[in-house]
Amino acid sequence: SSELLKRDPMTLVKNRAAYENYKLELNGKMKDGELTNIAFVMFDVNDLKLMNDNYGHVAGDDYIRKFAEILRQVFDDNGSICRISGDEFIVLLYDISRDKLDEFKDNLDKAISINNRVASVGYAYGEKIAVMELIKQAEQEMYDDKNKARNKLGEALIADYQNRIGDIEAQEKEE
């Protein structure tokens, strides 16, 4: 079905093609005045290359799936979650108040902190602003966040993964 063509097969969130369609649709709705308040939350998964280089691509894929699950838990059925490249995701939120976005920010900050700063995040909120302008704002904020987080993450990530591998190996020995 055409719905399957708009899903990322690994994470089961929407894919880049769905995202491109949403952008066009949202831009039209903003121009027509059908939509006024929108927000974009952009993510770059931290240390994916480190994970792939140290533990292989199966571990990297697991890391990406785990992050997609975090997004599903935080955003539930609000907006659309899209994987737009290997390690980048965006959430599109429509008809959202700034208070509701702040609530998402708080929940997301907690979820990302609990998971060893798994991703860098950028937010953009606008009323009657061009969609591409908001996306650029979110992307710039995400890269600023990534630069602040750079090089602080690898050790915690590797320790977490080694603990999980140790648990799996211990289980296998018991069996």
Side-chain angles (χ1 to χ4, degrees), residues 68-81:
E69 185 54 37
I70 290 168
L71 293 182
R72 276 194 290 276
Q73 288 171 6
V74 169
F75 291 99
D76 197 23
D77 290 330
N78 297 281
S80 298
I81 302 167

Side-chain angles (χ1 to χ4, degrees), residues 32 102-103 119 126:
D32 296 344
D102 288 341
E103 191 180 307

